[in-house]
């Protein structure tokens, strides 16, 4: 499929390093009202992300996110604001090619245009994620797949564009800190289970992820033993 370049817009904000004057310098047309709303959304979403992670971790016999685990599971929280304009011929372009998020989990707020597809578990079937009013879509990312030693699987997904309507999505990525070492939890290996992945410095994986931009689940190869 040929890729047609259109005027997509992405703004990335980092929860730990964000400052109003920095944003206004980089994006002078942004209203302070919009910036404040984004920051308030991040502030609201972070405890929700922690609660979701705690539920998932209980399935791995990890009981809580204490001070030692917090940098590993949610050391950074980044938010993107993505704008996909209408495309007169959606059949020759994609809003985002198929990929998995390089996060622990991703919380996605999307408008009602639709266009998000996730890959099914059998064959090459793709399932449309219909927007639901008041709901967030939650993706498991590659970091949690690695930490769980494949008990949890990252979600391969892509975005299609619409011929007449723009699409706006706001994903919030919950990541490890860059100085964290990522690998299977000890609880996954205590009964003699063999690790699927080696331990890697998160910053090295991040460099690989953005340098190679692998499609699908290709970036997991960086971790595999």
């Amino acid at each position: 499929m040929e890729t047609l370049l259109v005027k997509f817009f992405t703004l990335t904000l980092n929860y730990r390093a964000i400052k109003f004057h920095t944003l206004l310098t980089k994006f002078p047309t942004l209203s302070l009202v919009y910036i404040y709303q984004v920051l308030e959304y991040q502030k609201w979403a972070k405890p929700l992300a922690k609660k979701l992670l705690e539920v998932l971790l209980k399935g791995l016999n990890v009981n809580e996110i204490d001070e030692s685990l917090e940098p590993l599971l949610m050391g950074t929280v980044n938010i993107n604001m993505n704008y996909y304009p209408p495309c007169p011929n959606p059949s020759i372009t994609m809003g985002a090619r198929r990929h998995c998020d390089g996060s622990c989990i991703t919380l996605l707020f999307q408008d009602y245009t639709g266009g998000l597809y996730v890959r099914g578990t059998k064959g090459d079937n793709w399932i449309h994620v219909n927007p639901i009013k008041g709901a967030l879509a939650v993706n498991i990312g590659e970091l949690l797949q690695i930490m769980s030693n494949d008990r949890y699987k990252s979600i391969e997904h892509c975005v299609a564009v619409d011929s007449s309507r723009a699409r706006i999505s706001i994903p919030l990525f919950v990541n490890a800190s860059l100085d964290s070492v990522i690998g299977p939890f000890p609880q996954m290996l205590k009964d003699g289970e063999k690790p699927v992945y080696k331990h890697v410095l998160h910053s090295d994986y991040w460099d690989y992820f953005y340098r190679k931009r692998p499609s699908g689940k290709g970036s997991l190869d960086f971790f595999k033993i």
Side-chain angles (χ1 to χ4, degrees):
M1 178 182 292
E2 180 183 355
T3 299
L4 175 69
L5 295 179
V6 291
K7 294 180 179 178
F8 297 117
F9 170 79
T10 299
L11 170 62
T12 302
L13 306 178
N14 185 292
Y15 181 84
R16 295 173 67 90
I18 196 165
K19 294 182 179 178
F20 280 108
H21 73 271
T22 302
L23 279 177
L24 291 176
T25 300
K26 290 184 177 181
F27 307 98
T29 59
L30 280 180
S31 166
L32 276 174
V33 174
Y34 296 150
I35 296 173
Y36 176 78
Q37 288 174 337
V38 171
L39 293 177
E40 285 299 298
Y41 172 68
Q42 276 192 316
K43 190 184 300 183
W44 171 84
K46 191 176 181 182
L48 173 62
K50 184 175 183 179
K51 176 59 70 175
L52 289 170
L53 279 170
E54 287 176 338
V55 171
L56 290 167
L57 290 176
K58 284 183 179 178
L60 305 176
N61 295 319
V62 180
N63 293 325
E64 63 177 346
I65 302 176
D66 57 20
E67 291 182 359
S68 64
L69 283 180
E70 187 159 345
L72 180 66
L73 292 162
M74 47 193 314
T76 60
V77 177
N78 299 321
I79 187 169
N80 282 8
M81 293 185 288
N82 301 322
Y83 171 74
Y84 305 89
C87 178
N89 192 350
S91 65
I92 63 171
T93 189
M94 292 292 293
R97 65 175 183 166
R98 63 187 185 92
H99 66 284
C100 294
D101 294 337
S103 59
C104 291
I105 60 170
T106 302
L107 275 60
L108 178 70
F109 175 81
Q110 57 178 334
D111 65 12
Y112 302 123
T113 298
L116 174 64
Y117 288 82
V118 298
R119 190 170 189 170
T121 57
K122 296 180 180 180
D124 195 32
N125 62 312
W126 291 84
I127 302 164
H128 185 238
V129 181
N130 291 309
I132 299 174
K133 186 176 181 179
L136 298 174
V138 180
N139 290 346
I140 289 177
E142 291 187 337
L143 295 187
L144 192 57
Q145 176 168 342
I146 292 160
M147 294 176 195
S148 70
N149 209 39
D150 274 352
R151 282 170 174 76
Y152 293 132
K153 302 289 187 179
S154 57
I155 304 300
E156 191 174 350
H157 55 286
C158 64
V159 177
V161 292
D162 191 271
S163 61
S164 60
R165 294 186 298 173
R167 178 180 186 267
I168 295 175
S169 69
I170 305 177
L172 183 139
F173 302 99
V174 183
N175 297 300
S177 61
L178 289 177
D179 59 354
S180 294
V181 176
I182 309 299
F185 284 127
Q187 291 90 334
M188 305 299 96
L189 311 176
K190 67 178 183 179
D191 293 328
E193 179 178 330
K194 292 184 178 180
V196 179
Y197 305 99
K198 59 189 175 184
H199 284 75
V200 172
L201 187 65
H202 187 216
S203 59
D204 291 341
Y205 162 72
W206 207 241
D207 289 343
Y208 173 85
F209 186 86
Y210 278 99
R211 188 176 68 252
K212 297 292 186 180
R213 296 280 183 174
S215 63
K217 290 178 171 284
S219 56
L220 285 172
D221 293 339
F222 184 73
F223 278 91
K224 285 186 177 177
I225 295 175

